[in-house]
Amino acid sequence: MSGIEGKVVAVTGAGSGIGEATALLLAERGAKVVLGARRTERLEALAARIERAGGHAAWIRTDVTRRADLSGLVGLARERYGRLDVLVSNAGVGLISPLDELRVEDWEEMIDVNLKGVLYGIAAALPVFREQGSGHFVNTVSTAGLRVVPLQSVYAGTKNAVRTISEGLRQEAGDGLRVTVVSPGAVRTDFTDRMDPQARARIDRMMETALSPDAVARAIAFAVEQPDGVDVGDIVVRPTAQA
């Protein structure tokens, strides 16, 4: 038996990309997955795909900018499966642009999704984990926070904020809770769809050597499958060719 089999895992941003790949892989390895995203048609299709393969999946529309939605996601896990073992906070947006363009609304959206969305997840899951005496937070950050470059200031700031909060949470967690941050590099997803054209052209060039979302899913699975008492704190996974 793997260290994943039987675990109840909630995933935000599960409608596509890394979240979808993570849900599929964990379900394949025996987890019961609870899917959260805004696009319900994708969640329904993903849950059906998992169940056709013999897995277990539940889903609920989840906008991570709404605290109540994260409470609903955690609540569904407990209602359907009796507990929650892992929360993968993966939902994120990268509305990258030059600061001179003053896209303040985009800055606010990145703060709301990338940062506050993770905090709302912590607020929903932490009391449950404390009650159970165990639990695992997996937060998707980015290599953009490790190597800050032009056009990515606010995006990198939100990801580094999550990195800092995750480290503080780890230190406060005690010996029953685990905290992992996963920093993907360039990954082939729909991440660039809403970017500033200048930024998109730069990122699209990186996509020529980008990872499949499956590569990041395997990194997340590695952290989740570790035995009790082993906390994989930080994983960086990026294309070999990425600077």
Side-chain angles (χ1 to χ4, degrees):
M1 293 179 64
S2 77
I4 294 171
E5 188 166 354
K7 285 186 175 178
V8 179
V9 183
V11 183
T12 69
S16 63
I18 293 169
E20 179 184 29
T22 298
L24 286 167
L25 179 61
L26 295 182
E28 179 185 316
R29 296 189 182 182
K32 300 170 182 177
V33 293
V34 184
L35 314 171
R38 289 179 296 182
R39 294 174 287 190
T40 56
E41 71 284 353
R42 293 198 175 194
L43 294 179
E44 187 173 16
L46 178 58
R49 179 179 173 187
I50 289 168
E51 289 174 343
R52 283 195 303 271
H56 300 275
W59 63 272
I60 186 171
R61 186 184 188 279
T62 306
D63 179 345
V64 298
T65 68
R66 295 170 50 86
R67 183 177 176 184
D69 283 14
L70 270 302
S71 296
L73 181 69
V74 172
L76 177 61
R78 301 185 81 190
E79 175 188 332
R80 184 68 59 89
Y81 301 119
R83 61 184 293 109
L84 176 67
D85 297 298
V86 186
L87 174 62
V88 180
S89 290
N90 170 74
V93 292
L95 307 178
I96 295 168
S97 63
L99 288 171
D100 280 314
E101 291 189 359
L102 302 179
R103 296 192 177 196
V104 177
E105 292 81 6
D106 288 354
W107 303 347
E108 291 173 337
E109 184 174 348
M110 285 188 283
I111 291 168
D112 288 344
V113 174
N114 299 351
L115 175 54
K116 292 171 68 175
V118 173
L119 287 170
Y120 290 159
I122 292 170
L126 185 56
V128 174
F129 289 168
R130 291 296 191 202
E131 180 184 326
Q132 295 174 171
S134 64
H136 190 176
F137 292 99
V138 179
N139 298 330
T140 303
V141 287
S142 173
T143 57
L146 300 174
R147 182 174 180 265
V148 180
V149 298
L151 310 183
Q152 298 188 23
S153 304
V154 179
Y155 174 71
T158 61
K159 292 300 187 178
N160 272 337
V162 172
R163 191 185 307 278
T164 299
I165 291 164
S166 298
E167 173 59 16
L169 176 61
R170 184 193 68 79
Q171 293 186 33
E172 294 181 24
D175 59 8
L177 275 63
R178 301 192 288 185
V179 182
T180 301
V181 294
V182 179
S183 300
V187 181
R188 291 192 300 274
T189 68
D190 57 7
F191 183 74
T192 64
D193 287 355
R194 295 175 57 204
M195 282 183 187
D196 163 86
Q198 178 184 351
R200 182 171 183 172
R202 177 179 294 189
I203 299 298
D204 281 346
R205 287 194 295 273
M206 294 174 59
M207 290 299 111
E208 295 173 6
T209 57
L211 298 172
S212 162
D214 295 338
V216 185
R218 289 193 297 271
I220 292 171
F222 172 77
V224 172
E225 72 186 358
Q226 297 306 308
D228 293 343
V230 177
D231 186 358
V232 177
D234 200 340
I235 300 176
V236 178
V237 53
R238 58 190 162 205
T240 307
Q242 183 173 323

